Amino acid sequence: QVHLVESGGGLVQAGGSLRLSCAASGSIFSINVMGWYRQAPGKQREFIAAITSDGTTNSAGSLKGRFTISRDNDENTVYLRMNNLKPDDTAVYYCNADVTSTRGGPQFRYWGQGTQVTVSS
């Protein structure tokens, strides 16, 4: 089994910054892609950014310049740095990871439980 645990969410004023962390643990042989999504009340889950094990990133165009994804492969951890936060960024933020648990085995996508980010105006 693989577990993802997010941290770093909270309440911040508009214009402020937060850094979210997501640590993967458990039966891990390798992690391919790690990513971040968010879901605001009444809206669908939205892609934010993803990063491969070699550091290649892909980000939602609307968030580029404010949100930056990074990763520590030794710690199986992915980060999301969020700057100049706006009230519209209020959402539950989820991380995911595409994990292989054994050499040559299948890859599965795991999700964290989410961390709340609230931006006040």
Side-chain angles (χ1 to χ4, degrees):
Q1 188 59 281
V2 175
H3 300 279
L4 301 182
V5 178
E6 298 109 333
S7 59
L11 174 64
V12 63
Q13 288 189 333
S17 298
L18 284 174
R19 189 180 81 153
L20 306 182
S21 301
C22 170
S25 63
S27 182
I28 298 172
F29 173 75
S30 65
I31 302 178
N32 185 9
V33 181
M34 303 185 82
W36 288 96
Y37 285 70
R38 68 183 182 182
Q39 188 166 20
K43 295 187 177 181
Q44 290 189 336
R45 192 168 293 192
E46 173 188 21
F47 170 76
I48 299 173
I51 185 168
T52 65
S53 57
D54 66 1
T56 301
T57 62
N58 180 31
S59 302
S62 61
L63 299 176
K64 281 184 179 178
R66 294 196 301 125
F67 289 17
T68 303
I69 191 169
S70 61
R71 176 172 172 169
D72 184 334
N73 289 331
D74 291 337
E75 299 294 330
N76 291 330
T77 299
V78 63
Y79 303 96
L80 184 68
R81 177 68 179 181
M82 305 184 293
N83 294 326
N84 190 23
L85 284 161
K86 306 174 182 181
D88 284 348
D89 294 320
T90 295
V92 178
Y93 285 68
Y94 299 91
C95 66
N96 64 26
D98 295 338
V99 178
T100 301
S101 293
T102 58
R103 183 186 295 274
Q107 179 176 271
F108 294 101
R109 173 162 291 184
Y110 296 88
W111 290 85
Q113 81 288 350
T115 185
Q116 177 71 47
V117 171
T118 302
V119 184
S120 63
S121 57

